[in-house]
Amino acid sequence: MATRAHFSSRIGFILAAAGSAVGLGNIWGFPTQAASNGGAVFLIVYLLMVFALAYPLLVAELTIGRYGNADPITSLRKVWPQQRALMGFVGLAGMIAVSLILSFYAIVAGWLLGYLVAPVLDLLGLTAQAQWLEEFGVERNLILMLVFMWLTVMVVRSGVTDGIEKWSTRLMPVLLLLFVVMVIYILTQDGAWEGLRVYLVPDASHLSPKLIVSAMGQAFFSLSLGVCTMMVYGSYLDKSANLPKTAAQVALLDTGVAFLAGMLILPAMFVAQNHGVVIYDDTGALLASDTLVFSVLPSMFETMGGVGILVSTLFFILMVIAALTSSISMLEVPVSCVIEELNHTRHWAVWWIGGVISVISTVIVFNFESLFGFVITMTTAYAQPIIGMIFAILVGWIWHRDKVLNEIKAGYPELEASLFWRIWPWYVRIVCPVLMLLVFFLQ
Ligand code: PFF
């Protein structure tokens, strides 16, 4: 077998994995959930979920992948060779879940493309076309989704180092910087501090089982867990990488961006409210929650006057790229399985799978009301945590402890003496599955 591609540098991997993690989940999912679930309380539970549940599982998933040095199906089979069929089934479940995630993700990312192009068209006097791009509609959703899927296919076709790594390394830092600048700007606007208060001052009355389940799903979604994405990326990582440390860097970066996005979006919502945009209905529920973030942002750019269009263009370009570095990591899961399990070329696999996912996405576009929210809930609140729990059980109960130890030790020679190794093995074995079961029973 030919040698598999690997990330060519450590920072390249961290940025690629962080690129997978940072995406619409941070800028759209997290702020929307926080705004609908009482702000600060959601933030606190979310942070707990990231560090108490998602981080240990991120290490587990990366470790399985790097040990396997293969597509997820083969990697899982290496962990439990006696159960080939069962492991094939788990890999397949991850593959289906991630394809469904991509099918709704591409629709939302398409909206970003619309908001990117619309102000430019407006400037050129093409007001009707600009309006079409910004207004919710079946044709618009369909066309923009297809454009975004095409972009995803083009990057994944180029493979690991040329496609995935290059894009992530270049753009992540610029995105972070722009966020900081925008947060500073929004805080100078009327109404912003009310948004900040909602975001940072907890009101315990919002705590509910539903909030806890949503926060868990959001943490899994944001760290791209439970659908073999991190497993595939781990498989492209070389043995000298320190997995616990790398995972911590990825989790911190991702959480940092989500936190910053909240600092931007929640105040921006209240600033927009100050300008007459209705955000909450009479019962206090968030209005048009799926699309609200995208209508609040343009209204913020409008307050910036002349530079607004520049900032808006830069912002949406970076967001599209952040969404792309996530979508490519999703497409890479089924693509790597088809290349390595069925011996197809990358080119063939990428077009075929991209095509099938576009068809699923089209079905969602045409049945938006009934399918969009449903697919999101099924994949993020159920499939990701459940498959993630299966990975935890595999690492905690099935995999021989010495093998886990040796795999992590390869890039972390002092592992045995570390605090990490004193806690993590039993944590993944007992605490993670129990915590997750508790959350599900709470519901
Ligand atoms: N983590 C991505 C985000 O927050 O936008 C979404 C995601 C990427 C989910 C990859 C799942 C996945 F496999």
Side-chain angles (χ1 to χ4, degrees):
M1 196 171 106
T3 49
R4 297 178 78 243
H6 277 90
F7 286 103
S8 62
S9 67
R10 189 66 35 77
I11 186 74
F13 172 79
I14 291 171
L15 290 178
S20 165
V22 174
L24 295 170
N26 304 63
I27 182 83
W28 166 73
F30 174 76
T32 309
Q33 296 249 25
S36 335
N37 287 298
V41 175
F42 186 83
L43 173 66
I44 294 169
V45 178
Y46 175 76
L47 291 177
L48 269 175
M49 286 294 171
V50 168
F51 292 102
L53 203 55
Y55 167 70
L57 291 181
L58 177 58
V59 179
E61 211 176 314
L62 286 173
T63 310
I64 298 178
R66 197 183 58 176
Y67 173 78
N69 189 25
D71 69 278
I73 292 181
T74 301
S75 295
L76 286 164
R77 284 178 172 160
K78 284 187 184 167
V79 168
W80 201 1
Q82 298 81 355
Q83 292 288 342
R84 281 181 59 81
L86 184 63
M87 291 301 96
F89 179 74
V90 173
L92 198 66
M95 224 165 93
I96 293 172
V98 83
S99 304
L100 288 173
I101 291 177
L102 181 51
S103 67
F104 77 72
Y105 205 82
I107 300 174
V108 183
W111 298 340
L112 287 174
L113 283 174
Y115 284 106
L116 166 63
V117 180
V120 183
L121 292 184
D122 226 355
L123 212 62
L124 297 173
L126 301 168
T127 351
Q129 286 83 346
Q131 205 178 358
W132 181 80
L133 280 177
E134 286 186 337
E135 259 169 23
F136 194 89
V138 172
E139 289 89 16
R140 173 200 78 150
N141 287 353
L142 182 65
I143 291 171
L144 292 177
M145 174 276 286
L146 289 174
V147 175
F148 184 80
M149 278 304 294
W150 177 78
L151 288 173
T152 305
V153 162
M154 294 317 276
V155 182
V156 177
R157 220 185 46 164
S158 317
V160 173
T161 29
D162 282 346
I164 298 176
E165 186 175 339
K166 221 185 227 165
W167 280 91
S168 311
T169 323
R170 285 188 194 151
L171 292 147
M172 283 285 300
V174 190
L175 182 66
L176 269 179
L177 193 71
L178 186 71
F179 260 122
V180 174
V181 173
M182 284 173 43
V183 168
I184 295 172
Y185 168 78
I186 199 71
L187 292 180
T188 65
Q189 300 295 302
D190 281 348
W193 289 83
E194 175 58 16
L196 202 62
R197 197 187 57 76
V198 170
Y199 185 44
L200 297 178
V201 182
D203 169 359
S205 69
H206 286 107
L207 198 62
S208 69
K210 180 186 151 282
L211 180 149
I212 297 174
V213 176
S214 303
M216 179 170 82
Q218 180 60 32
F220 273 75
F221 182 67
S222 199
L223 282 177
S224 313
L225 291 177
V227 282
C228 305
T229 299
M230 288 302 179
M231 204 180 281
V232 181
Y233 273 24
S235 78
Y236 299 137
L237 195 54
D238 66 71
K239 295 282 179 200
S240 63
N242 180 331
L243 291 171
K245 188 171 149 203
T246 311
Q249 284 163 328
V250 171
L252 281 174
L253 240 158
D254 182 61
T255 310
V257 176
F259 180 74
L260 262 180
M263 296 272 291
L264 173 72
I265 304 284
L266 273 93
M269 283 181 178
F270 285 80
V271 173
Q273 194 173 38
N274 236 12
H275 288 120
V277 179
V278 187
I279 297 179
Y280 292 102
D281 68 14
D282 298 340
T283 65
L286 203 62
L287 270 179
S289 57
D290 292 335
T291 49
L292 186 67
V293 166
F294 299 117
S295 50
V296 159
L297 284 169
S299 99
M300 173 183 78
F301 295 125
E302 267 166 34
T303 67
M304 294 182 172
V307 292
I309 180 151
L310 270 181
V311 182
S312 153
T313 311
L314 184 61
F315 175 80
F316 283 115
I317 289 181
L318 290 171
M319 273 321 299
V320 167
I321 290 159
L324 256 181
T325 54
S326 301
S327 64
I328 56 184
S329 74
M330 297 177 208
L331 187 56
E332 185 64 20
V333 175
V335 163
S336 72
C337 288
V338 168
I339 296 176
E340 292 177 34
E341 297 295 321
L342 306 175
N343 267 324
H344 282 294
T345 62
R346 177 168 281 272
H347 185 89
W348 187 93
V350 167
W351 278 110
W352 247 99
I353 296 166
V356 170
I357 295 174
S358 302
V359 171
I360 301 174
S361 204
T362 305
V363 174
I364 299 178
V365 165
F366 279 103
N367 300 279
F368 194 87
E369 286 299 318
S370 52
L371 286 184
F372 184 72
F374 176 74
V375 174
I376 295 182
T377 310
M378 289 321 274
T379 49
T380 63
Y382 295 99
Q384 289 196 286
I386 290 170
I387 304 173
M389 177 159 73
I390 295 175
F391 296 158
I393 291 170
L394 277 176
V395 171
W397 295 88
I398 308 292
W399 208 0
H400 200 285
R401 199 176 156 118
D402 287 346
K403 288 199 172 140
V404 188
L405 176 74
N406 284 335
E407 185 54 42
I408 302 182
K409 214 172 146 182
Y412 187 5
E414 328 74 71
L415 177 67
E416 275 160 297
S418 70
L419 184 65
F420 178 84
W421 188 250
R422 244 173 285 152
I423 298 173
W424 183 79
W426 66 264
Y427 197 91
V428 176
R429 188 177 162 101
I430 296 168
V431 181
C432 287
V434 169
L435 260 181
M436 226 178 280
L437 283 177
L438 271 180
V439 173
F440 278 123
F441 278 118
L442 261 179
Q443 236 182 345

